[in-house]
Structure formats: C-alpha cells, structure tokens
C-alpha cells in the first residue's frame, strides 16, 4: 500500500503551496497522518501530524504558524497548506499514515505506510 503525494513545485520565498496525500482505503484503519521532509544531506524530519478521529494537530517548531495540516475524510486525502515559504523549507516532502501515538509521531515516526514524496523548492 502506497500513499500518493502531489502538489509540490517551485515557488519564490514568501509564497505558498498546498500538498495533497491520497490515502488508499487499504491503508485503513489509521489514526494518524503525518508529513515529513528531507533536504539533501539532512535527516528526515517531522513537519506536521493530525489525529484522524480527534482532529488534533501537531507541528514542528520551524513550521508552526506557517503550515496547516488538515484532512478530508470523504476524499481520503490529507493536506499540508504551506505559507510564507522560505528557502530552508526546500526538501522532498513525504506523507505517512498508520496506527500509532500521534502526539509523538513527529519524533517517533512509526508509520506503516509512506508515499514516494513530492519535491518542494523555494528560491
């Protein structure tokens, strides 16, 4: 089972992008969806996560206040709205889904399902 990300691209600093993550029904049940990113030469880092039942959201410090994670249950799709993008946000972005403790998922990413990633470049 693979998640499918879309929406990446190139944008100027200060701009916005919205990433989408289609979660196949075969990936359910899942209680947490997360977004991660990895820049060249850097470790993968958690960006945002959402508890699918409680709708609680979690953000890493670098993106808190600029990024918003959300979910459309009817479309089996999660989103990452990214505003005020900066060059440091340049990375491959991955979505992930699974049954785990969502509140700690950004630092303990024990997600079962992952996507192939979508590139975000900010110049």
């Amino acid at each position: 089972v693979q998640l499918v990300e879309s929406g990446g691209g190139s944008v100027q600093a200060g701009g916005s992008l919205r990433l989408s993550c289609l979660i196949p029904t075969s990936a359910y049940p899942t209680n947490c969806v997360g977004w991660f990113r990895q820049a060249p030469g850097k470790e993968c880092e958690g960006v945002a996560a959402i508890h699918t039942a409680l709708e609680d959201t979690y953000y890493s410090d670098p993106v808190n206040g600029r990024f918003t994670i959300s979910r459309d249950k009817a479309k089996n799709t999660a989103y990452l709205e990214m505003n005020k993008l900066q060059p440091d946000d340049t990375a491959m972005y991955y979505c992930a889904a699974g049954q785990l403790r969502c509140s700690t998922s950004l630092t303990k990413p024990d997600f079962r399902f992952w996507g192939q990633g979508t590139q975000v470049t900010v110049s």
Side-chain angles (χ1 to χ4, degrees):
V1 176
Q2 187 145 56
L3 313 183
V4 181
E5 303 100 334
S6 61
S10 297
V11 65
Q12 291 187 338
S16 300
L17 283 173
R18 188 177 80 157
L19 305 183
S20 299
C21 174
L22 178 62
I23 305 167
T25 55
S26 54
Y28 289 89
T30 182
N31 74 319
C32 186
V33 177
W35 285 95
F36 293 78
R37 67 185 182 186
Q38 187 166 25
K42 296 186 177 180
E43 293 186 356
C44 185
E45 65 170 335
V47 174
I50 184 168
H51 192 289
T52 57
L54 302 176
E55 301 287 342
D56 290 344
T57 56
Y58 311 92
Y59 298 95
S60 63
D61 288 343
V63 308
N64 195 22
R66 299 188 298 122
F67 291 12
T68 302
I69 188 171
S70 62
R71 189 179 72 96
D72 187 327
K73 184 177 180 180
K75 295 182 178 180
N76 291 330
T77 301
Y79 302 98
L80 185 68
E81 183 76 32
M82 305 185 294
N83 298 312
K84 300 180 181 178
L85 284 162
Q86 305 164 5
D88 284 349
D89 295 316
T90 295
M92 185 71 80
Y93 283 72
Y94 301 88
C95 68
Q99 288 276 93
L100 70 164
R101 188 168 187 171
C102 206
S103 60
T104 58
S105 62
L106 296 185
T107 55
K108 296 179 180 179
D110 193 20
F111 289 91
R112 181 176 180 185
F113 305 110
W114 292 79
Q116 289 188 318
T118 184
Q119 178 68 36
V120 172
T121 303
V122 185
S123 60

